């Protein structure tokens, strides 16, 4: 794995150091969904897309396949998921078997920065809560357009977060990511030939406390096993807590559905 890629992967999963990457499957073992809501994704696709038997969706940084598997089960279409963590991909394949959609779900371990240049002719690209692994926001939007069918009409679904009108990055506790304002995102969409189809803002009732407790429990188990690495596991606990605090107080989580105009 390239150093730059590994750095972005760590950051996307709120890890302060790449030393933590091999331990992420253990730390996140209690989660199937890693940031994105399958229900929201399915709702947007059903509402706005005219699916056909040969329609196909690309799920970049698919994690453990929660979005892909649920879309395949509900909508009966082919979906291709890519992620850098081998254990996540194996978990996704097992879930596809469990849900009887192995014939529709195609999971592979790969760098999504390469996949966006290789994969083509998709009706929709999903990029769920994966931070800046594809680059800055404008670079990300440009790369997400590449795998779509040529011409007008392909869709992008992206999970992100933006600063409220009165907010600033100085108030944000998690310092490894610079958030844009809503206005700045809308400007980027327009400048990159993307139409905002629908916006779903965050669920205020989400239980961050339970998530944090699971993370703390697994991190403490690792501290017992690897006491010499205590600092990196405690750092992860703090980063996760900071991110949750930001999502509750300092930024607004959002899912956007975009349509390619050119």
């Amino acid at each position: 794995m390239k150093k730059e890629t590994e750095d972005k992967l760590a950051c996307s999963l709120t890890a302060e150091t790449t030393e933590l990457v091999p331990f992420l499957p253990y730390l996140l073992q209690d989660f199937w969904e890693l940031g994105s809501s399958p229900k929201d994704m399915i709702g947007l696709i059903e509402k706005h897309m005219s699916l056909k038997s040969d329609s196909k969706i690309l799920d970049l940084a698919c994690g453990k396949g929660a979005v892909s598997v649920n879309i395949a089960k509900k909508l009966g279409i082919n979906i291709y998921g890519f992620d850098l963590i081998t254990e996540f991909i194996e978990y996704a394949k097992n879930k596809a078997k469990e849900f009887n959609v192995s014939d529709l779900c195609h999971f592979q371990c790969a760098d999504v920065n390469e996949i966006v240049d290789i994969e083509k002719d998709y009706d929709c690209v999903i990029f769920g809560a994966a931070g800046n692994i594809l680059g800055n926001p404008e670079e990300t939007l440009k790369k997400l357009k590449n795998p779509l069918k040529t011409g007008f009409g392909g869709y992008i679904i992206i999970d992100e977060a933006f600063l409220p009108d009165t907010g600033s990055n100085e108030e944000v506790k998690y310092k490894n990511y610079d958030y844009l304002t809503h206005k700045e995102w809308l400007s980027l969409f327009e400048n990159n030939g993307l139409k905002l189809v629908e916006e779903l803002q965050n669920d205020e009732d989400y239980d961050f406390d339970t998530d944090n407790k699971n993370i703390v429990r697994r991190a403490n188990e690792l501290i017992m096993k690897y006491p010499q690495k205590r600092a990196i596991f405690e750092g992860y606990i703090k980063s996760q807590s900071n991110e949750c605090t930001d999502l509750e107080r300092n930024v607004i989580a959002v899912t956007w559905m975009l349509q390619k105009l050119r």
Side-chain angles (χ1 to χ4, degrees):
M1 190 185 301
K2 295 177 182 177
K3 177 66 166 61
E4 181 183 1
T5 301
E6 193 174 43
D7 286 341
K8 289 179 179 179
L9 170 63
C11 184
S12 73
L13 291 168
T14 329
E16 296 287 343
T17 170
T18 55
E19 269 192 90
L20 199 65
V21 170
F23 300 101
L24 287 172
Y26 189 93
L27 288 161
L28 298 172
Q29 65 182 282
D30 301 297
F31 305 89
W32 184 23
E33 297 178 18
L34 296 176
S36 299
S37 165
K39 181 181 177 182
D40 287 347
M41 301 284 185
I42 290 168
L44 289 169
I45 293 168
E46 285 186 310
K47 184 176 179 180
H48 297 290
M49 291 181 65
S50 298
L51 298 174
K52 301 176 183 178
S53 59
D54 62 346
S55 295
K56 61 177 186 174
I57 292 176
L58 177 63
D59 188 1
L60 295 170
C62 66
K64 298 182 181 182
V67 169
S68 292
V69 170
N70 280 283
I71 287 175
K73 185 67 175 179
K74 176 70 174 178
L75 305 180
I77 57 174
N78 280 286
I79 186 157
Y80 296 76
F82 297 88
D83 199 278
L84 262 177
I85 298 182
T86 304
E87 292 90 341
F88 287 0
I89 291 297
E90 291 306 311
Y91 191 99
K93 289 178 179 178
N94 288 331
K95 279 292 185 180
K97 290 179 184 177
E98 179 185 330
F99 280 68
N100 297 313
V101 289
S102 293
D103 58 327
L104 296 173
C105 292
H106 314 275
F107 293 114
Q108 185 177 333
C109 189
D111 184 350
V112 296
N113 281 280
E114 297 173 0
I115 292 300
V116 290
D117 291 327
I118 297 171
E119 295 291 312
K120 301 295 180 185
D121 297 321
Y122 283 88
D123 299 276
C124 179
V125 175
I126 293 172
F127 188 63
N132 61 356
I133 61 172
L134 292 177
N136 65 40
E138 183 158 27
E139 290 169 339
T140 295
L141 293 176
K142 290 181 184 297
K143 289 180 179 180
L144 292 177
K145 289 172 65 176
N146 288 341
L148 293 172
K149 290 180 177 178
T150 56
F152 168 84
Y155 292 88
I156 295 170
I157 302 177
I158 180 171
D159 271 349
E160 252 296 342
F162 60 86
L163 290 169
D165 292 338
T166 57
S168 74
N169 276 296
E170 291 182 3
E171 298 167 348
V172 173
K173 288 183 173 293
Y174 182 64
K175 298 301 183 183
N176 286 353
Y177 189 79
D178 288 330
Y179 292 95
L180 301 183
T181 64
H182 191 265
K183 184 177 180 180
E184 287 171 329
W185 273 109
L186 294 181
S187 179
L188 279 180
F189 297 157
E190 183 178 355
N191 292 341
N192 286 279
L194 293 165
K195 173 188 174 183
L196 177 58
V197 175
E198 187 168 348
E199 173 178 300
L200 301 176
Q201 292 196 11
N202 65 323
D203 181 0
E204 295 180 355
D205 297 324
Y206 187 82
D207 185 7
F208 289 109
D209 188 52
T210 297
D211 285 359
N212 278 331
K213 285 179 180 177
N214 284 326
I215 292 293
V216 170
R217 175 162 57 94
R218 298 306 183 184
N220 284 332
E221 289 170 0
L222 287 172
I223 288 171
M224 292 291 290
K225 191 172 183 179
Y226 305 98
Q228 73 278 16
K229 296 184 181 293
R230 171 183 287 271
I232 68 169
F233 299 132
E234 290 182 341
Y236 187 66
I237 291 172
K238 183 177 180 181
S239 293
Q240 284 287 321
S241 177
N242 285 342
E243 184 181 45
C244 289
T245 298
D246 287 334
L247 289 168
E248 289 178 313
R249 302 177 187 175
N250 300 322
V251 298
I252 299 170
V254 66
T255 301
W256 285 306
M257 187 169 197
L258 312 171
Q259 187 174 32
K260 182 164 71 82
L261 300 180
R262 63 178 188 269

